[in-house]
Amino acid sequence: IDDWEHYVLAIDASGRAFLFGRDDTKVPPCIRNPKMHQMTALDIAMDWKSLRSVSTGLDSRMCFYDWKNDQPIHELLFPKVVNGKVSDCFGALDASFEMEKMVVGSNTGHLYVMDLATAKPVLALHGHKSMIRRVKASWSQNLAASASMDCHLNHYDLRNGKAIWKLPHNERCDAMDVDFDRRLALCASKDDPIKLWDLKMGRCIKEFAIPGHWPNWINVNWETSVACTGADDNKVKLWDLETGEVSQSLDCQHHLTQSLDVDWDNDLVLTGSFDFQIKLWDLKSASLVQQFVQQQRCLSRVCLH
């Protein structure tokens, strides 16, 4: 595993995770394939320096994994960590292994700030009423944002655990990206315009309608104001946050784009689909660079390194 410099990481509906080494072949080898969860794996974050990860799943478990030695470090059960039912679970997360901090959402609508060194929650954030789909945090600014199935984008102050804003959408929020420096958040919901929020003022400053394209995942290059979105129309689209104009539409030739990750410096996008496909694309040429083979389960998250 130490022979590789670049990786692709994915998790799926079977609870498995997949680590691929990126090389010059069209179908790079899968070098790790642990069974992390007994049910659908929901989210994962990787420390690429030490190759250790933390993941969440519908099985109520949070799994800490050592990829170098291919073995679990430890695991947490939701009901034993916080007050909850056996059926409750952790969900979307955003972790900084350098800071040893993580914010993780749950199906109850609560978020938890956790100390990764002790694997214990240090702060509970209340505000949502149902499953949290996406989470972002800025540890230098002590801010967090979350998008939930309760049709709200919430913005939190991590110093006191209070919600600064609860920003409404008409439908459940499925995708989000945030620039805490600019205090901007882009949030998408089903059958509803994509909204650009000013987090200073707590108001929607722009709405974007891309017909038939309701994103499951958003990744924004905030320097250039270009958004990359993957949706149920099988497409990945690049579009301008100033004008809303779509500059590129990539037909990924799969069913439902569930997740994506973008390397903006090298013009690469990694996609994971409902019909089991993991693909790496060159955005300049709109061509398929590599395809990564895994068992036939729906992908829930893909990460590019």
Side-chain angles (χ1 to χ4, degrees):
I1 193 170
D2 293 327
D3 294 338
W4 306 90
E5 293 184 9
H6 302 287
Y7 301 93
V8 160
L9 176 66
I11 53 174
D12 71 7
S14 73
R16 284 195 172 276
F18 303 84
L19 186 66
F20 299 90
R22 287 169 52 196
D23 61 11
D24 295 331
T25 63
K26 285 291 184 179
V27 185
C30 181
I31 52 180
R32 293 284 190 271
N33 179 215
K35 177 78 171 178
M36 288 186 169
H37 297 274
Q38 301 305 312
M39 300 171 68
T40 298
L42 295 175
D43 206 353
I44 191 167
M46 175 75 92
D47 179 358
W48 294 108
K49 291 182 179 179
S50 65
L51 288 178
R52 61 190 177 106
S53 68
V54 56
S55 62
T56 58
L58 282 176
D59 57 358
S60 299
R61 298 163 66 212
M62 179 182 292
C63 179
F64 295 81
Y65 202 82
D66 179 350
W67 290 83
K68 283 191 175 182
N69 295 305
D70 202 13
Q71 63 184 16
I73 303 169
H74 57 266
E75 65 178 39
L76 303 175
L77 290 175
F78 187 97
K80 293 186 177 181
V81 178
V82 299
N83 292 326
K85 302 175 183 177
V86 175
S87 58
D88 290 336
C89 65
F90 294 110
L93 60 84
D94 188 14
S96 170
F97 291 91
E98 183 179 358
M99 300 289 291
E100 294 287 357
K101 293 180 179 180
M102 175 176 69
V103 61
V104 58
S106 67
N107 69 312
T108 65
H110 303 329
L111 288 96
Y112 301 94
V113 178
M114 299 191 67
D115 183 330
L116 287 178
T118 62
K120 293 182 178 179
V122 296
L123 182 65
L125 309 174
H126 304 287
H128 289 296
K129 296 180 180 179
S130 60
M131 185 76 178
I132 295 170
R133 297 275 288 154
R134 304 286 178 255
V135 171
K136 287 282 186 177
S138 170
W139 303 108
S140 62
Q141 300 173 75
N142 287 305
L143 296 170
S146 55
S148 170
M149 292 179 69
D150 69 0
C151 310
H152 280 78
L153 164 67
N154 287 2
H155 183 35
Y156 293 93
D157 186 333
L158 295 180
R159 293 169 297 183
N160 56 27
K162 303 293 185 181
I164 303 170
W165 302 110
K166 297 182 180 181
L167 307 172
H169 285 245
N170 293 326
E171 300 290 341
R172 76 178 203 184
C173 298
D174 282 328
M176 177 193 72
D177 199 3
V178 183
D179 185 335
F180 290 101
D181 291 331
R182 294 175 173 82
R183 295 293 198 276
L184 294 173
L186 189 65
C187 189
S189 57
K190 298 297 183 187
D191 302 314
D192 199 33
I194 304 168
K195 294 184 178 182
L196 181 64
W197 294 95
D198 180 337
L199 296 181
K200 287 183 180 178
M201 304 301 293
R203 63 187 181 93
C204 179
I205 53 177
K206 287 184 181 180
E207 291 189 351
F208 307 95
I210 304 177
H213 187 81
W214 294 287
N216 294 314
W217 208 274
I218 294 174
N219 190 307
V220 179
N221 185 336
W222 295 100
E223 294 292 332
T224 60
S225 294
V226 173
C228 181
T229 51
D232 287 355
D233 62 357
N234 314 329
K235 303 292 196 302
V236 166
K237 293 182 182 289
L238 295 179
W239 50 279
D240 193 298
L241 286 183
E242 297 296 330
T243 65
E245 181 180 352
V246 176
S247 59
Q248 186 174 356
S249 183
L250 179 65
D251 185 354
C252 297
Q253 301 173 13
H254 58 220
H255 183 53
L256 311 184
T257 307
Q258 296 287 94
S259 176
L260 59 79
D261 197 8
V262 185
D263 180 347
W264 292 103
D265 292 333
N266 294 299
D267 294 305
L268 296 171
V269 60
L270 180 72
T271 58
S273 69
F274 185 81
D275 61 349
F276 335 130
Q277 299 185 52
I278 309 168
K279 295 178 178 179
L280 184 64
W281 302 87
D282 185 309
L283 289 174
K284 283 187 175 180
S285 62
S287 61
L288 179 65
V289 178
Q290 292 173 313
Q291 184 160 359
F292 304 87
V293 177
Q294 54 96 26
Q295 294 178 350
Q296 295 190 351
R297 296 292 187 273
C298 165
L299 278 303
S300 47
R301 180 72 194 272
V302 292
C303 303
L304 183 62
H305 174 71

